[in-house]
Amino acid sequence: MFKAVKNISRIGEVINILLKYSFEDVIINSSLRKFISAKKQVSFQYAANDFLEKYNRWERIRMVIEEMGATAIKLAQYLSNRPDILPEPLIKEFEKLQANVPPFSTITAKAIIEKETGQKIEDLFSYFDNHTIGSASIGQVHRVRLKSGEDAVIKVQRPQAEEKVKTDLRLLREFVKLTSGYFQNIGILNPSEIVDVFEEMMLKELDYTTEARSILRFHKIYDRYNSLKIPKPYLEYSTSKVLVLEFISGCKITDIEQIKKWGLSRRRIAEKGIKMYLMQIFKYGLFHADPHPGNILIYPNETIALIDFGMVGRLTKKQKFQISDLFFALTTQDAKAMATSIRRLSVKSEIEDFASFENDLQELIDDFIILDVGELNMKELVIRLQKIFFKYKLQMPGAIFLMFRALSILDGVGKKLYPKFNPLKYIKPYTYKIIREQYSINNIKSELQFSFAQMSSLFYSSPVDLKYIIEKIRSGELKTNISIVGFDTFIKKIDVFTNKLVLSIITTALILGSSIITVAKPETMPTVFSIPIFSVVGIAIATFLILWLLIYSIRHK
């Protein structure tokens, strides 16, 4: 009961935020209108608002998200990587969002560490820095020194972070449920599925053991490469709310002054950086998905270190092949092959005009290929591709957008180090290598074995399945479920229309009946102001029904 009241109160706050930024249409065209009186609905439809004149719709959506808090901001940041869901102007606004969250007290952080580990701070560490080196919506980071003398960092989850996030997720789910019709009208067809994916992501982020497992996976694969440094996790000190990692020194990859002081080659660092990431993407299919300059550090010996493994991308073998086909088609200027690769890569594609789709890709290739090396821009290429995905409603796996995002960021980092940096130059050899692997005897043999196993399973199970279906038909127990998209909305509209019609007929009948009685004026009937009492009662009821019909029409507009 308390949670329900709390949720209603929070929904009221959200409605006030929407009204503040002139989103009355969201309320009127969704179930949120149930929380607003009919009188207020009429009044705010004609109310003036300065935000409409000063800011466009996309800017006002960003402002709403900022005011709704940290979880809403994280959802928007997640959606900014999904151009198959949102239009480009909204993505640009969401990219501006920053969750500026102040650190919580060191005393509280230490209390959480002691509760999680069951040990005193002085027994765990010989040094604990009371100042944070980073703070976010989920947790904050402190420098520490282990008893063994090793320098480390400890990530501590905020107090009650899990409860707050879960409460916000419940509210978000309720909000999406109330406004699903509005979202569908503006082209976002699966808002509930988006919340499901986001909830899964947030719950993983709340469990620090998930990040620890990702780091261990990276260690297992990349420990053999001396040029790549991955921080060591100290699992004996870590829990779901506390994570201790090796401290990584070095300078940011874009710290040009420090790189010059060390006498390092900026061009070589840019090349090593892109090769390292392409190896992760194309060779192993496990890549660090947040390569902004603060997460890539350089040692004086040119070793590259990666930190913050909260965002990790995984590609299947099939996806690696399809991505390679896509880039190969781009470099060979084959729009048809590129279109086929993209369609195969998508989770769901309903391209009605394939010729138009192919033509858009040919325009992209023509615009991109004529550029000089210094003008080549991976970010621009990715944006153009994403516009095409959105235009043709192609649903892509999340890992594909994480990969595109990583390549875009790396292109910017590489050009800052070396202005003539051309990522396609390094992507091309990897695509050729993957294509050779795709059509190698071993892979073809593996694919044939898999296909044979699938066909064998089909032939083995078909007689049993067919017998089961025939038995169901004979016994009359075979049932079919048909789901008509939008049928529920149609039924609701019919229901509203029927209610209005019934009220209108009853009201009309009362008015006509009262009028007839008034004209007839039966001598035996009592009167009020010379009007028969039944006429007065009938007109009063009719007036009440007219008012009720007006309110009902506004609420179900």
Side-chain angles (χ1 to χ4, degrees):
M1 179 67 181
F2 176 73
K3 281 183 180 178
V5 172
K6 196 173 180 181
N7 279 352
I8 290 170
S9 174
R10 183 70 173 124
I11 287 170
E13 291 175 23
V14 172
I15 288 171
N16 287 332
I17 293 170
L18 290 170
L19 290 175
K20 177 181 175 180
Y21 293 102
S22 301
F23 283 105
E24 293 86 355
D25 59 320
V26 177
I27 298 166
I28 294 168
N29 296 303
S30 72
S31 296
L32 287 174
R33 64 178 174 268
K34 294 176 183 177
F35 297 88
I36 300 286
S37 67
K39 184 179 178 182
K40 192 171 182 181
Q41 285 185 45
V42 173
S43 66
F44 70 53
Q45 286 184 66
Y46 302 102
N49 194 309
D50 292 339
F51 284 101
L52 276 172
E53 297 176 6
K54 291 181 180 177
Y55 306 100
N56 63 38
R57 188 172 188 82
W58 313 118
E59 289 172 321
R60 288 185 287 116
I61 292 175
R62 171 177 54 78
M63 291 172 181
V64 167
I65 296 293
E66 284 174 330
E67 201 155 326
M68 284 177 68
T71 305
I73 290 173
K74 288 193 79 70
L75 173 61
Q77 289 171 334
Y78 159 71
L79 290 174
S80 69
N81 297 316
R82 295 302 307 267
D84 58 330
I85 296 172
L86 299 183
E88 185 198 356
L90 186 54
I91 286 174
K92 285 184 177 179
E93 287 300 319
F94 281 176
E95 286 173 348
K96 298 174 185 177
L97 289 167
Q98 296 292 330
N100 297 316
V101 183
F104 56 95
S105 76
T106 304
I107 295 171
T108 304
K110 287 180 177 179
I112 292 169
I113 295 166
E114 290 180 348
K115 182 182 177 182
E116 286 293 310
T117 60
Q119 298 183 62
K120 294 287 185 184
I121 293 293
E122 53 268 24
D123 295 332
L124 291 168
F125 312 114
S126 59
Y127 168 76
F128 188 100
D129 190 348
N130 289 327
H131 297 96
T132 59
I133 58 173
S135 176
S137 59
I138 300 294
Q140 63 189 37
V141 182
H142 293 264
R143 283 280 303 273
V144 294
R145 185 171 293 120
L146 305 179
K147 289 289 187 178
S148 58
E150 296 167 286
D151 285 324
V153 295
I154 184 165
K155 187 188 287 189
V156 189
Q157 194 171 113
R158 287 181 174 275
Q160 298 176 326
E162 186 174 351
E163 291 81 357
K164 288 175 183 175
V165 167
K166 286 181 177 178
T167 299
D168 284 347
L169 287 170
R170 278 196 300 270
L171 171 69
L172 189 62
R173 194 170 291 285
E174 187 66 25
F175 177 76
V176 165
K177 184 180 175 182
L178 291 168
T179 56
S180 59
Y182 176 80
F183 282 121
Q184 288 172 3
N185 287 338
I186 63 171
I188 301 175
L189 303 177
N190 54 346
S192 295
E193 290 176 26
I194 294 168
V195 174
D196 289 340
V197 174
F198 177 66
E199 181 175 16
E200 184 182 350
M201 185 189 81
M202 286 300 297
L203 293 177
K204 282 182 180 178
E205 193 170 334
L206 284 167
D207 185 359
Y208 286 170
T209 59
T210 302
E211 185 175 347
R213 285 194 296 270
S214 293
I215 296 171
L216 286 173
R217 242 178 250 118
F218 270 78
H219 267 288
K220 188 176 180 181
I221 296 173
Y222 302 114
D223 265 357
R224 71 194 77 173
Y225 299 99
N226 295 326
S227 59
L228 177 59
K229 175 70 175 174
I230 309 290
K232 172 187 173 184
Y234 295 96
L235 299 181
E236 62 271 31
Y237 302 107
S238 302
T239 70
S240 62
K241 295 181 180 179
V242 170
L243 178 61
V244 180
L245 300 170
E246 175 188 2
F247 175 71
I248 300 291
S249 59
C251 73
K252 285 168 65 174
I253 193 169
T254 52
D255 189 345
I256 306 298
E257 291 303 315
Q258 187 59 57
I259 289 171
K260 283 181 179 177
K261 285 179 184 177
W262 287 341
L264 306 180
S265 166
R266 287 183 286 164
R267 176 177 179 176
R268 195 161 61 244
I269 289 171
E271 289 175 345
K272 286 181 74 172
I274 190 68
K275 286 177 180 178
M276 175 194 70
Y277 262 90
L278 293 176
M279 173 185 70
Q280 293 177 38
I281 292 167
F282 289 105
K283 187 171 183 178
Y284 297 108
L286 178 69
F287 61 96
H288 181 280
D290 194 16
H292 69 75
N295 285 341
I296 308 175
L297 305 179
I298 303 295
Y299 281 91
N301 64 354
E302 286 190 2
T303 296
I304 295 175
L306 299 177
I307 60 173
D308 192 351
F309 289 79
M311 195 182 291
V312 170
R314 294 176 182 83
L315 297 172
T316 64
K317 185 179 180 181
K318 187 178 179 182
Q319 286 171 343
K320 287 193 293 179
F321 288 159
Q322 289 161 346
I323 291 164
S324 298
D325 289 342
L326 190 157
F327 279 112
F328 181 77
L330 174 66
T331 55
T332 55
Q333 304 180 47
D334 188 342
K336 188 172 184 177
M338 193 173 178
T340 303
S341 300
I342 290 171
R343 187 167 62 175
R344 286 175 179 170
L345 193 58
S346 64
V347 175
K348 185 179 179 182
S349 63
E350 297 177 359
I351 304 170
E352 295 178 359
D353 188 351
F354 197 78
S356 175
F357 176 57
E358 190 179 319
N359 185 59
D360 285 349
L361 289 171
Q362 187 62 59
E363 285 183 14
L364 181 148
I365 291 170
D366 292 343
D367 292 344
F368 197 72
I369 292 299
I370 62 169
L371 297 174
D372 295 328
V373 171
E375 296 175 313
L376 285 172
N377 189 319
M378 180 60 72
K379 185 175 182 179
E380 183 60 32
L381 170 66
V382 169
I383 288 171
R384 289 280 298 276
L385 272 174
Q386 290 173 347
K387 283 181 180 177
I388 292 171
F389 295 163
F390 185 77
K391 178 180 177 180
Y392 292 95
K393 298 203 169 17
L394 294 164
Q395 290 184 24
M396 292 289 178
I400 301 303
F401 289 113
L402 288 178
M403 181 208 68
F404 280 141
R405 177 178 178 272
L407 291 175
S408 297
I409 296 171
L410 289 167
D411 182 35
V413 170
K415 281 188 166 59
K416 188 166 184 180
L417 289 167
Y418 179 60
K420 292 184 178 180
F421 178 72
N422 176 11
L424 271 184
K425 174 185 172 183
Y426 304 98
I427 291 173
K428 204 183 278 189
Y430 271 97
T431 60
Y432 291 159
K433 187 176 179 181
I434 294 294
I435 287 169
R436 283 198 299 271
E437 181 188 337
Q438 184 177 358
Y439 295 104
S440 67
I441 293 172
N442 287 336
N443 188 61
I444 292 171
K445 181 181 175 183
S446 175
E447 290 292 328
L448 287 172
Q449 286 174 341
F450 177 77
S451 298
F452 180 74
Q454 292 291 100
M455 290 298 293
S456 298
S457 175
L458 178 65
F459 284 124
Y460 179 77
S461 62
S462 289
V464 178
D465 293 339
L466 187 60
K467 183 183 176 184
Y468 175 79
I469 292 168
I470 291 170
E471 286 175 354
K472 286 289 180 183
I473 292 171
R474 281 175 178 170
S475 61
E477 295 177 5
L478 189 68
K479 296 178 181 179
T480 57
N481 290 323
I482 300 173
S483 178
I484 303 173
V485 178
F487 189 68
D488 289 342
T489 305
F490 176 72
I491 290 296
K492 285 179 183 177
K493 287 182 178 179
I494 290 292
D495 186 47
V496 169
F497 174 77
T498 305
N499 289 339
K500 287 180 181 179
L501 183 63
V502 169
L503 282 171
S504 300
I505 291 170
I506 293 170
T507 304
T508 303
L510 283 167
I511 292 170
L512 286 173
S514 299
S515 301
I516 290 168
I517 292 171
T518 302
V519 172
K521 287 186 180 180
E523 294 179 2
T524 57
M525 186 178 292
T527 61
V528 177
F529 300 110
S530 302
I531 300 172
I533 193 166
F534 283 173
S535 296
V536 173
V537 172
I539 293 296
I541 295 171
T543 304
F544 173 77
L545 289 176
I546 288 169
L547 291 171
W548 178 259
L549 186 61
L550 179 63
I551 293 168
Y552 188 81
S553 298
I554 292 171
R555 286 194 171 184
H556 296 83
K557 190 175 177 181

